[in-house]
Amino acid sequence: MPQKAAIIAEAARLRALFEQAGAVPVETAILQPAATLLDLYGEDIRARAYITTDALRGEQMLRPDFTVPVVEMHMAHGAEPARYTYAGEVFRRQEDDPARASEYLQVGYEVFARDDPARADAEVFALIHRMLEPLGLRPATGDIGILMAAVDGLRTTERRRAALRRHIWRPRRFRALIERFSGRTPVPESRAALLGMYDPMAQAGPLIGLRKEAEIVARIAALREDADAAPISGTEVALIDAILAVCETSPCALERLRDIAVDLPAISPAVDLLAARLDALAGQGIDVTTLQFEASYGRTQMEYYDGFVFGFTAEHRPDLPPVATGGRYDALTRRLGRGREIPAVGGVIRPGLALELGEAR
């Protein structure tokens, strides 16, 4: 394991390379307001982050990554287009895998630009690809936007589509919802009994907890609406499954997705963007004929990615997490922009892992 001083020096070297590519160096506070991340991701983020509280600032979170504070900074007073780089520590709880570091250095590169998102995607990926090329890592790519477009194209209620969009980054929960909305999983007996009551609140007794009666009544009404909705068709479920099963070289994946788009036209714009991205990557010198594409890739990473996603891993070290990851997060700028938005894409490198692998070669 490299010494911390060596990792800091490697982080500085990588950030300098991002600066040479036109990025402006920025800093963000280690303590971030927890409310922002809790609003974005819900209470699930508590299981992955370190949270503290003080009387003046309320709940604070040790920085789990840089993207959210960099987006907030840019949306508050950034010029367009913009490129930023940063280096510093991030903190992640690792209760499922105690062997993984809970504190490590991260170096990143973020691009905010309205013109030609495919070119911006290719720029970020190709730059990190060149920087890590001596390590012989395996690159992989995906596109969350294709699955999101598929969900938007389902012939079902908006409430169901919203639930599926919200759980795209939780594969098991997403699958459970697909099974339930398609009628493959029966409604639990307790819920069926509740919905069968003329007035479920009549014998509810005193309220316990924080929810008000109006909220409970609204929830019951939503459950009744869902129970009355027609199931998602078997054909549409099969198309979702076909998308999730795509895992092959990028040109073959593109052709497979174009075939699926014939029966699910809603994904056509996202598939066209994939084609444009592959052209832009080829223009950056990337051999797209061998570049792996996996439609499910990135679904367990940070939940703000909503388009192109990528990662670089060491095949001979399956015990290590990815050395670099990144992707597009347009929706995040809308959430944090207070009325403003701008397409954005970025990526991060873990210099400690890069140095460890470099020393081993």
Side-chain angles (χ1 to χ4, degrees):
M1 177 66 66
Q3 296 296 313
K4 187 168 185 178
I7 297 174
I8 292 173
E10 176 68 1
R13 185 186 74 83
L14 293 171
R15 190 173 74 168
L17 292 175
F18 285 138
E19 289 183 54
Q20 291 174 19
V24 175
V26 294
E27 303 286 344
T28 69
I30 289 179
L31 273 179
Q32 294 288 320
T36 300
L37 288 159
L38 290 170
D39 179 59
L40 284 170
Y41 310 126
E43 291 296 318
D44 288 355
I45 192 69
R46 290 185 185 275
R48 293 175 285 164
Y50 292 98
I51 297 178
T52 186
T53 304
D54 68 44
L56 293 177
R57 292 178 293 183
E59 282 192 313
Q60 301 287 301
M61 185 178 294
L62 285 175
R63 183 174 59 205
D65 82 339
F66 280 83
T67 302
V68 169
V70 169
V71 170
E72 288 187 307
M73 177 205 69
H74 176 81
M75 301 311 289
H77 47 71
E80 297 181 14
R83 287 166 175 77
Y84 302 109
T85 185
Y86 47 80
E89 292 169 311
V90 296
F91 306 85
R92 305 270 183 89
R93 290 170 64 177
Q94 304 287 0
E95 294 180 356
D96 292 337
D97 189 355
R100 289 195 173 187
S102 57
E103 173 187 350
Y104 53 87
L105 260 72
Q106 195 178 76
V107 183
Y109 181 72
E110 314 287 341
V111 176
F112 294 77
R114 296 190 183 278
D115 296 334
D116 201 343
R119 183 176 63 185
D121 290 348
E123 172 191 332
V124 174
F125 178 89
L127 178 57
I128 292 176
H129 186 280
R130 288 192 293 270
M131 292 167 66
L132 298 178
E133 193 167 15
L135 300 180
L137 302 176
R138 176 185 178 273
T141 65
D143 194 330
I144 301 293
I146 293 173
L147 183 55
M148 295 184 78
V151 168
D152 288 341
L154 293 175
R155 289 171 294 188
T156 189
T157 65
E158 175 52 30
R159 193 185 298 276
R160 286 181 170 182
R161 287 193 292 266
L164 288 167
R165 283 195 298 267
R166 185 166 61 252
H167 292 290
I168 276 176
W169 297 273
R170 302 173 182 89
R172 284 189 292 182
R173 177 61 175 157
F174 182 88
R175 171 51 55 185
L177 288 174
I178 287 286
E179 294 295 309
R180 179 157 67 85
F181 294 158
S182 63
R184 298 179 179 181
T185 301
V187 176
E189 291 183 10
S190 58
R191 179 177 297 180
L194 175 69
L195 298 181
M197 296 179 184
Y198 176 74
D199 182 4
M201 298 301 295
Q203 300 177 353
L207 294 179
I208 299 174
L210 299 177
R211 290 194 176 185
K212 299 178 180 178
E213 181 174 341
E215 294 176 306
I216 298 172
V217 170
R219 175 60 178 160
I220 293 172
L223 291 173
R224 281 178 167 160
E225 176 189 325
D226 185 71
D228 292 338
I232 296 174
S233 71
T235 298
E236 288 187 322
V237 172
L239 290 169
I240 293 288
D241 289 342
I243 291 171
L244 292 173
V246 173
C247 181
E248 46 196 313
T249 58
S250 293
C252 293
L254 177 61
E255 290 307 309
R256 177 66 183 129
L257 289 166
R258 280 176 167 159
D259 290 342
I260 296 171
V262 173
D263 297 311
L264 189 57
I267 71 170
S268 293
V271 174
D272 290 342
L273 180 57
L274 169 60
R277 184 185 306 121
L278 292 177
D279 288 342
L281 286 167
Q284 289 274 1
I286 302 297
D287 181 6
V288 297
T289 64
T290 61
L291 181 62
Q292 191 75 5
F293 180 92
E294 180 181 347
S296 285
Y297 189 81
R299 292 180 65 205
T300 57
Q301 297 178 14
M302 293 299 283
E303 297 165 26
Y304 45 68
Y305 292 134
D306 57 4
F308 176 52
V309 285
F310 64 86
F312 292 83
T313 56
E315 290 186 282
H316 65 289
R317 288 292 306 274
D319 57 306
L320 294 180
V323 178
T325 57
R328 176 161 291 277
Y329 49 88
D330 296 350
L332 183 63
T333 72
R334 289 194 293 272
R335 291 285 300 274
L336 299 178
R338 297 175 179 84
R340 297 178 59 233
E341 61 179 278
I342 182 172
V345 59
V348 295
I349 299 174
R350 290 182 57 167
L353 294 179
L355 198 59
E356 180 179 347
L357 292 168
E359 290 177 349
R361 288 179 69 84

